[in-house]
Amino acid sequence: MDLKTATALRRLRLVSAPEAISFLLLLVCSVLKRTTDFNAVPVMGAVHGGLFVLYVIFWADAWNRAKWSLKTAALYFVLSVLPTGGFFAERKLRREAEDAVIATRARKEGVVGA
């Protein structure tokens, strides 16, 4: 994995958890708006919208650089629109990065089949 691909995947991983948190907070704010006088939906909507746009931009970059299959790209996009999906995306991306580091080290050390 080259540096630009690793960077694209890292950016996607780093924005996925905050995007998921903002989605959950937006849902809480929506409920509070309907049940109380508290209305933070405009603020949280803007925050979540900005993070979602970043996620989609970083997702497209990662898809292009990592040469994901359509199935993998679709999975990461679907995870972005589920309330807790960003947490699963972050975990999966972290594991893929760790596996790539292990494979790179194994190739450098000459381990067969890595």
Side-chain angles (χ1 to χ4, degrees):
M1 178 180 311
D2 66 336
L3 184 60
K4 288 185 178 184
T5 303
T7 302
L9 293 174
R10 181 174 168 82
R11 278 193 307 251
L12 181 61
R13 183 175 67 84
L14 290 177
V15 79
S16 63
E19 191 272 336
I21 291 168
S22 72
F23 194 177
L24 292 173
L25 288 174
L26 180 60
L27 292 175
V28 169
C29 288
S30 296
V31 170
L32 289 175
K33 177 184 176 183
R34 305 282 187 244
T35 58
T36 67
D37 291 333
F38 183 74
N39 184 12
V41 172
V43 173
M44 278 313 302
V47 169
H48 173 67
L51 287 170
F52 180 74
V53 168
L54 279 176
Y55 184 96
V56 171
I57 290 169
F58 294 159
W59 165 81
D61 186 39
W63 182 10
N64 181 41
R65 293 189 187 279
K67 306 296 185 223
W68 286 336
S69 66
L70 184 60
K71 180 180 175 182
T72 301
L75 170 69
Y76 283 117
F77 187 78
V78 167
L79 287 175
S80 75
V81 296
L82 297 176
T84 58
F87 299 120
F88 295 105
E90 192 276 333
R91 185 184 315 161
K92 187 168 175 46
L93 288 164
R94 184 172 18 106
R95 286 184 183 158
E96 287 179 15
E98 290 169 354
D99 291 346
V101 168
I102 291 169
T104 301
R105 287 181 182 163
R107 279 192 294 276
K108 284 182 181 178
E109 294 176 6
V111 176
V112 178

